[in-house]
Amino acid sequence: KLSVLEEEKAAMQDDFQNMLDERDAEIMQLEARVMLSESAVHSAKNEARDELLEETKRQLLEELAGEKEQQSERLCELEALAQAKDAELATAEERIRELERIVGLAKKKILAQTGQVEKLTAERQELLDRGQA
């Protein structure tokens, strides 16, 4: 009887360890996804700013070339363009905030799963302690 119990205990410990290994793998995958998301957010933010700056610069140079006699009229157009670009930037920043929110949720999920693994590990240890007593 004792050897059967020991075999069952060993099988349960193996199953539990496999479950913990699977959880660890899931957590590592989530952490990798979070890192990729953070990298994507950072890249998107920089890319949006660079594109906006380059586009604005190009448009300003086109607008100013050879049009000195219409400076006051062009100034109004450039101000409207700047407002439009500000609106585009606000939209890009809103998307970045949304991506950052998603990253935050993923981090919370990782923390929750980490807590779950710690809880399961503590429960396992408690069962092991009871089994030895």
Side-chain angles (χ1 to χ4, degrees), residues 15-72:
D15 288 344
F16 186 78
Q17 187 60 48
N18 289 337
M19 186 183 69
L20 286 178
D21 291 344
E22 288 174 12
R23 288 286 185 164
D24 286 344
E26 288 175 10
I27 288 171
M28 286 192 294
Q29 288 176 347
L30 284 171
E31 287 173 341
R33 286 173 48 196
V34 166
M35 283 189 269
L36 286 175
S37 294
E38 287 174 338
S39 177
V41 166
H42 183 71
S43 294
K45 195 177 195 178
N46 288 339
E47 200 172 298
R49 284 184 181 152
D50 290 348
E51 287 177 13
L52 183 59
L53 288 173
E54 286 300 315
E55 180 64 17
T56 302
K57 180 181 174 183
R58 185 189 64 76
Q59 289 178 357
L60 288 173
L61 290 175
E62 285 178 341
E63 293 291 325
L64 293 174
E67 298 185 16
K68 290 187 179 196
E69 66 278 353
Q70 300 176 357
Q71 284 183 353
S72 64

Side-chain angles (χ1 to χ4, degrees), residues 66-79:
E67 298 185 16
K68 290 187 179 196
E69 66 278 353
Q70 300 176 357
Q71 284 183 353
S72 64
E73 182 181 330
R74 291 291 181 203
L75 181 58
C76 293
E77 291 175 11
L78 291 175
E79 288 174 355

Side-chain angles (χ1 to χ4, degrees), residues 1-12:
K1 282 186 172 180
L2 189 57
S3 67
V4 171
L5 289 175
E6 288 174 351
E7 288 176 15
E8 287 179 4
K9 180 181 175 182
M12 285 176 59

Side-chain angles (χ1 to χ4, degrees), residues 48-49 52 84-94:
R49 284 184 181 152
L52 183 59
K85 291 302 176 182
D86 285 347
E88 288 177 24
L89 182 58
T91 300
E93 289 175 343
E94 180 63 33

Side-chain angles (χ1 to χ4, degrees), residues 93-104:
E93 289 175 343
E94 180 63 33
R95 178 66 181 140
I96 289 166
R97 284 191 293 278
E98 178 63 19
L99 290 173
E100 289 172 340
R101 185 189 67 79
I102 290 169
V103 168

